Amino acid sequence: MNQHTRFNLPICLAVEEDAFFHSDEIIKRYIPEIIGQKTIVISEEFLIGIYRDKINDISHDFGGAEIVAMKEASFDEAVAIAKKVCVEDIKVIIGIGGGRVLDTAKYAAHISKAVYICMPTSLSNDSLASPFAVLETYGSSRKTLDCKIPTAIIVDTNMIINAPEGQTLSGIGDTIAKHTALYDWKLSAARTSSQVDDFAYALSRMSYDSVYHCDEKNMKSRVFIRILSRALVMGGLAMEIAGSSRPCSGSEHLFAHAIEEYYPQIKISHGLGVALGTIPACIFQGQDISGLLGFFKTYGLDINPQSYGITEDMFADMWLKARNVRPGRITVLDDIKHDRVQLGEIYSRMVEGK
């Protein structure tokens, strides 16, 4: 092994029709040694109700695995699950759900050193394969924590096709955000002693390109679901290789974090928040936005801030707060002044969709 390239990769990435109903067969193909080991299934109460048959089937296939409904996506919840895993000699954790469930299960597996199998019910962001978990710490405050990526990722295309459209749009937004994130990563490397990992950069760019240049425009098609699944996983692996979130997170993510931290009343998903951030970020970077505007229009991804209850004053304040939301992270925001007039013009263009 090259001492300079030590990183983890999933053993299995399966994107198949009805994969949840034969997940045990998939695991037997790739990780047969864990079949028969004590397993726990983590999900949320409402998801267990909605997908009862599938989750019960998975539990049965893994030796009658206990099904646990997590209460919250928090550090304390993940630690409590990890304690249960260690005390009861559980060897495998299966996380079934969206980002909240997957991050909690992933961090619990990291702490307890259990094998982690990721089974998303939606494709809302690239956290399913990333080496990070975003969890609540004190109250509504959240922290990004380092952890180990999944051992296996199983995507059921039927599950994703039937997921709410907004969740898939969120995953598209998180993927397209790599366009501005990569620009900011190079900018940061030029200003510091850090380096851009070429392989991580290429993987993140491939993630973006595979969705941006995709010929299949139907989000409900299995072809598109496979492409988006692999794109989100590639983004996670790029972060694992780079040892940071820089291949996937730049000024557009700082904007989304500012919404999450300072405007919790704005109900917008993480992926749609960063999609909104990509348009101003592109303009700040001096990049042409016409291609992105056309792409978002094709998929019906709404980049009008008013649609999410964001006023012009809030929009400007979000960008002001974005500058300091992650201290030490160098982006294009460090090179530009906070121009209220320019932000007003950008806001108007986004409202008008041009």
Side-chain angles (χ1 to χ4, degrees):
M1 178 186 290
N2 185 330
Q3 63 175 335
H4 300 296
T5 56
R6 292 179 179 172
F7 47 80
N8 295 301
L9 295 174
I11 295 174
C12 160
L13 169 58
V15 185
E16 302 177 11
E17 185 176 353
D18 287 329
F20 281 16
F21 279 120
H22 58 268
S23 55
D24 59 327
E25 296 172 11
I26 294 171
I27 294 300
K28 282 177 184 176
R29 291 203 305 264
Y30 294 96
I31 327 171
E33 64 271 18
I34 71 169
I35 295 297
Q37 295 192 4
K38 195 171 183 181
T39 301
I40 188 172
V41 175
I42 308 297
S43 192
E44 291 183 281
E45 194 70 59
F46 82 96
L47 288 174
I48 293 171
I50 294 172
Y51 303 118
R52 186 172 303 279
D53 289 345
K54 288 194 176 186
I55 292 176
N56 284 339
D57 191 67
I58 291 166
S59 168
H60 178 268
D61 288 343
F62 285 85
E66 181 183 354
I67 302 170
V68 174
M70 53 170 263
K71 300 177 181 64
E72 56 188 15
S74 70
F75 178 84
D76 290 343
E77 183 82 359
V79 170
I81 294 170
K83 179 179 179 181
K84 176 181 178 66
V85 168
C86 292
V87 170
E88 299 181 16
D89 294 322
I90 295 167
K91 303 301 181 184
V92 181
I93 295 177
I94 299 175
I96 303 176
R100 287 165 44 84
V101 171
L102 302 183
D103 275 6
T104 305
K106 180 166 52 174
Y107 197 68
H110 172 70
I111 297 172
S112 63
K113 299 187 180 348
V115 171
Y116 172 49
I117 300 173
C118 170
M119 301 178 69
T121 55
S122 65
L123 296 176
S124 58
N125 56 61
D126 56 17
S127 70
L128 73 164
S130 77
F132 306 103
V134 180
L135 299 173
E136 294 174 359
T137 51
Y138 300 106
S140 59
S141 297
R142 303 194 303 169
K143 184 175 178 62
T144 300
L145 303 162
D146 294 347
C147 61
K148 188 179 178 181
I149 64 174
T151 302
I153 302 168
I154 299 175
V155 179
D156 186 324
T157 55
N158 284 346
M159 179 76 76
I160 305 304
I161 286 170
N162 293 313
E165 187 176 275
Q167 294 180 350
T168 304
L169 286 171
S170 182
I172 292 172
D174 208 19
T175 302
I176 295 306
K178 292 167 177 59
H179 180 59
T180 46
L182 289 171
Y183 180 103
D184 281 332
W185 191 19
K186 280 193 168 182
L187 177 67
S188 177
R191 303 287 168 79
T192 65
S193 58
S194 64
Q195 292 184 326
V196 170
D197 183 295
D198 289 341
F199 190 70
Y201 185 98
L203 204 55
S204 182
R205 193 73 205 179
M206 286 169 60
S207 169
Y208 164 82
D209 285 339
S210 67
V211 173
Y212 183 76
H213 297 292
C214 180
D215 292 331
E216 177 57 74
K217 307 303 181 186
N218 180 7
M219 292 189 300
K220 296 292 186 180
S221 78
R222 289 186 173 82
V223 170
F224 184 81
I225 294 303
R226 290 192 188 97
I227 290 170
L228 181 59
S229 299
R230 290 164 183 160
L232 292 171
V233 170
M234 280 193 286
L237 298 186
M239 290 186 274
E240 169 70 13
I241 292 165
S244 78
S245 61
R246 293 289 341 208
C248 304
S249 175
S251 46
E252 76 297 321
H253 269 70
L254 298 184
F255 172 75
H257 292 318
I259 298 176
E260 294 159 359
E261 294 184 23
Y262 295 102
Y263 289 89
Q265 74 274 23
I266 299 297
K267 303 306 178 186
I268 184 171
S269 69
H270 171 78
L272 292 181
V274 297
L276 286 187
T278 57
I279 300 301
C282 258
I283 293 172
F284 299 150
Q285 293 169 352
Q287 300 195 76
D288 182 17
I289 64 170
S290 58
L292 285 183
L293 289 175
F295 174 87
F296 289 148
K297 188 173 292 186
T298 296
Y299 286 98
L301 197 159
D302 190 355
I303 51 93
N304 178 358
Q306 291 181 348
S307 300
Y308 307 97
I310 300 173
T311 66
E312 184 177 328
D313 286 339
M314 292 165 67
F315 183 77
D317 188 56
M318 288 166 181
W319 280 108
L320 178 62
K321 289 181 166 55
R323 295 167 176 268
N324 301 309
V325 77
R326 292 291 182 272
R329 172 147 294 197
I330 296 173
T331 70
V332 71
L333 298 182
D334 294 286
D335 286 355
I336 61 171
K337 66 177 183 177
H338 189 71
D339 189 331
R340 184 67 175 76
V341 174
Q342 183 194 30
L343 286 167
E345 293 172 350
I346 293 173
Y347 182 87
S348 297
R349 290 179 65 180
M350 293 177 69
V351 168
E352 296 170 9
K354 60 181 185 181

